[in-house]
Amino acid sequence: MLGLIATRSIDTPVEGIKPLVAHAREQIENGLLAYKWLAAQGEAPAAGVPKALETPMSNLGHALLLKRIRPDIENATPSQIQEAAESTIPDVPVLFWSFRVMVALGFYFIALFTAAFYLSWRRRLNTPWFLRIAVISLPLPRIAAELGFIVAEYGRQPWVIDGVMPTFVGVSNVPATNVLLSLLGFLAFYTTLALVDLLLIVKYVRLGPEPDEETLHRLAASPVSAH
Amino acid sequence: MLLDYGTLRIIWWALLGALLIGFAVLDGFDLGVAMLHPFVPKNDQQRRVLLNSVGPVWEGNQVWFILGGGAAFAAWPALYAASFSGFYLAMFLVLLGFILRPVSLTFHSKMESETWRRSRDWGLFFSGLVPSLLFGVAFGNLLLGAPFNFDPMLRLNYQGDLLGLLRPFALLCGLVSVAMLAMQDASYLAMKSDGEIAARACRYGVTAAIVLILAFAIAGVWVAYGVTGLSIETPIDPSGPSNPLTKSVAAETGGWLANYRAAPIAAAAPALGFAGAVVAALALWRRAPGAAFVSSSFSVAGVIATAGFSLFPFLMPSSTRPDHSLAIWDSSSSQSTLTIMLGAVIVFLPIVLAYTSWVFYVLRGAVTEEAIERKDDYYY
């Protein structure tokens, strides 16, 4: 992931992942120490954290990664710790391409708007080829935004808060049927809105744009109008 | 740190209340316009007067709801988590209402067809009624307690569902809320319109105020004799850590009235709720919408403050594990978060209030049918 952001080349991220897993493994082992100490506190907690546990305390979230493998994480075996460490590896190809396509689109937008700025300055904004490209480009910002979402949200997995709370720990206990119900509700609602929107867009496109001042002047200047 | 943790918690409790009141006073009349929409106007032109009475301001008003949610998120994260997860489907319906309302507003006049505009009108009605009702139902459920508890990792466990929220007392609170916001809007509408519409708005406003007074009184009696109130038994450390599992709680029927016995001055809130509604009803009866709007706003503030004062120091009581209830002493965010956020509020809230007042000053005066006819495209 770090190698990806540094964007060195296609093969470096794969190399960089191994030390990252080793580091994660260390953090999980550290976090387990803190977890075991906390679990031992029970009803009468100590006033402060012992000095030796201050660093492990900040790795508590990593210990929670083990909860997906077994609930009694204090008994985790070395191979299970390795498995948890490997679960921190993101889906590299998906992120690799999402990030690059997003950045490429960003550069494309800069180019598009430079062209728009230039044409506007030359008062040739209604050049047909440019208008055609502009219309085709309409969905691209949405695609770039979605790719950005994938990079940020999917790329952060398995964390909901990086290094603090794994996603599966952060899930609420709202029943899945309720979540499904709200999802279907929004889906139906927004689909209806999209259709209504389409209806209105078609109506206003048919009405056409209001004539600009130049056209009005020309019409006023011509002695006989067409109608 | 300038302020100690306990003081900051009280300030943020008061701020949350103030934001809710700000929301109800301002967005209340938007919700009300939507609710009264099928009843007050008699033709399309009059309907557009209603829409345009809130046209330029509803968006700003709605932000108070987001601000309230944001304040809960930042200052009372446990309350935010428990209420948003616990009232999940109710929150979904409120959101649906909030999305449907602007859509109905902006789409209303875009097509000429009669069915189009009728469907928009009923969309508006739904978008006003459902959130108004559910806000009241939510407050009713706070007083009744919601079925939640925490596991040892402080993860929230919620057992209720949507139908579980619709208990009789909660529905009565919903009625209080609907009547209150209808009164608020009728006063606003009477101020922002003239002739036939203003007269009809006054009539609906009087009815709404009377319903509010009756429902609020019945709710008061119910709280005294039929609702279990909580109090904290263990010693309270106002600056203690935010862990809701360290206290024990006593439950007693009528317990929510204990604060009024301890501090009789708190009774000013329900008194304001009643007095404001009575004065608003009289003012509407005498066709003095300005006075009606002011006293109606005071009534709204009084009713919401009553709920807050009764629950204090609780934010969200638990019905299944009262010991796990969220109180202001044990469910706030950290002291530095509260301090930084307070700084932001001190800087930005006056700015927001200033420009909001300025907007209302610029837009003062009635929206008339003639004005809409004159500049058809300009209006909703």
Side-chain angles (χ1 to χ4, degrees), chain A residues 35 64 67 168-174 178-179 181-182 185-186 189-190 193 196-197 199-200 203-204, chain B residues 85-86 88-89 92 95-96 99-100 103 107 109-112 116 120 153 155-159 161 377:
Chain A
Y35 184 89
L64 294 180
K67 286 255 178 200
F168 62 91
V169 175
V171 172
S172 78
N173 82 322
V174 174
N178 286 8
V179 181
L181 215 64
S182 66
F186 277 124
F189 188 54
Y190 275 102
L193 284 189
V196 172
D197 230 356
L199 208 71
L200 286 175
K203 177 191 161 183
Y204 282 94
Chain B
S85 296
Y88 185 80
L89 283 181
F92 164 68
L95 277 182
L96 219 55
I99 304 166
L100 192 58
V103 170
F107 281 4
S109 305
K110 295 256 188 310
M111 288 273 203
E112 299 294 335
W116 171 272
R120 295 282 75 105
M153 273 175 74
R155 290 176 66 201
L156 193 76
N157 212 329
Y158 193 91
Q159 294 104 13
D161 56 18
D377 280 350

Side-chain angles (χ1 to χ4, degrees), chain A residues 174-218:
Chain A
V174 174
T177 40
N178 286 8
V179 181
L180 185 68
L181 215 64
S182 66
L183 185 66
L184 290 178
F186 277 124
L187 205 65
F189 188 54
Y190 275 102
T191 309
T192 317
L193 284 189
L195 289 176
V196 172
D197 230 356
L198 208 64
L199 208 71
L200 286 175
I201 288 171
V202 168
K203 177 191 161 183
Y204 282 94
V205 167
R206 287 233 171 96
L207 283 176
E210 289 190 13
D212 56 21
E213 254 172 63
E214 211 179 311
T215 322
L216 283 176
H217 274 295
R218 237 191 4 254

